[in-house]
Amino acid sequence: KPVIAIVGRPNVGKSTIFNRIVGERVSIVEDVPGVTRDRIYSSGEWLTYDFNIIDTGGIDIGDEPFLEQIRQQAEIAIDEADVIIFMVNGREGVTSADEEVAKILYKSKKPVVLAVNKIDNPEMREQIYDFYSLGFGEPFPISGSHGLGLGDLLDEVAKSFPKHEEQDYGEDVIKFSLIGRPNVGKSSLVNAILGEERVIVSDIEGTTRDAIDTPYTFNGKEYVIIDTAGMRKKGKVYESTEKYSVLRALRAIERSDVVLVVLNAEEGIREQDKKIAGYAHEAGRAVIIVVNKWDAIEKDEKTMKEFEENIRAHFLFLDYAPIVYVSAITKKRVHSMLPVIDRVSESHSLRVQTNVLNEVLMDAIAMNPTPTHNGQRLKVYYTTQVAVKPPTFVVFVNDPELLHFSYERFLENRLRDAFNFEGTPIKIFGRPRK
Ligand code: GDP
């Protein structure tokens, strides 16, 4: 999906426009306890276009001086977006902060559409002409509070969406990414994986976009590590900000089949780790928990077990995810990640034969009678797998209301036992039989 970023100095109305464009979507609380969508990144639609949109104003850059914050937000937009909406305030005219943003945007090769906000009625349209001086061509008048002008603005933005689709790697290629807080060792791990014996990194010369993916082969199998540019070309100040790391994670998750959630053994589990992991689960990706910097802590024979218990207690929703303990520095067990990636990827795309599936579930139901509610008992007629990545099942029943979460959970566990769905979420939906 193309990515749009909104930039501009504070108080020009970026968040209002962001919320207008994404509609209600951002306020949706997902079914993972404790995980609410960040209000800086969301998907949106306009006519036939599907896109993602970032409100860079929501990325808090810490204590930097005002102009420096604006500059960094603009740079994030340049790094992350295909098209930039540069927003100014039509009631205040061109300010020096607007000119600063403009200067940074000139230097990028990304298309920029200039939006003049707070033009709440047609009489105010005259005020947009001043903004030609910013040098981005025709300014588009909009009104966040009245919801005016957004259609024309998005039409213009859509003209600059990249023409060619994203690189398509084919069904058999395993796409994975490493996500986690800053400094947990993601880039070190990528380098350690690619430095493994028998890992053959493909020649990525000649790719037009800056190479953010690294394709490689190992034991004759093809893999792509997603979104490494951000990890490898380091040194930008904003990379250490929390919201930016979430943004990076979301973008990587979106393009991956398998997500490695990297934790830092030295620091233990933080709230931010759970949030990032929650996104991977919610997106239906296969998940592996990687505990890095295992070399850096004092250990005895109980340490690993204690770590595992702690992880399981904090990541209840990831009870299916395997845990690996590694060190990017000493390379210990780095090689063991690759077979785990293979395994979870296999479960993630596993398709179960309908007759076998129904046999297993009918046996399960015979062992553990279905629940009743108000004198009515849940009846399960049959089940069918409707999708992979993640495996998704539709259970045809007399009344979906009777298929309680706990019974669903029981069926899920039976499926896990029977088919070894290691590392992948499973989705189960109840439908009334027609
Ligand atoms: P990223 O921000 O998650 O990509 O983290 P980096 O890969 O840049 O690593 C952050 C810091 O942790 C660097 O100073 C690394 O040298 C260090 N580091 C990474 N992996 C390990 C590890 O396995 N053990 C130890 N002791 N340090 C590590």
Side-chain angles (χ1 to χ4, degrees), residues 181-188 234 292-293 295-296 327-329:
R181 285 185 290 115
N183 285 318
V184 293
K186 298 179 295 295
S187 2
S188 309
K234 287 234 232 182
N292 187 38
K293 309 201 186 182
D295 61 289
S327 167
I329 294 290

Side-chain angles (χ1 to χ4, degrees), residues 24-93:
E24 274 122 60
R25 228 170 295 256
V26 273
S27 54
I28 292 172
V29 179
E30 303 292 334
D31 61 355
V32 181
V35 175
T36 322
R37 240 178 222 305
D38 252 285
R39 292 179 153 267
I40 52 162
Y41 183 84
S42 187
S43 55
E45 280 157 29
W46 171 243
L47 302 175
T48 60
Y49 302 106
D50 264 338
F51 51 79
N52 288 318
I53 184 159
I54 305 168
D55 172 12
T56 61
I59 300 174
D60 184 0
I61 312 282
D63 304 331
E64 303 285 332
F66 176 73
L67 271 182
E68 189 51 31
Q69 299 207 13
I70 298 179
R71 171 195 306 282
Q72 287 180 20
Q73 287 170 353
E75 282 182 357
I76 290 171
I78 292 168
D79 281 357
E80 302 289 326
D82 296 304
V83 190
I84 295 166
I85 296 178
F86 173 19
M87 199 177 296
V88 292
N89 181 343
R91 301 202 169 189
E92 289 181 23

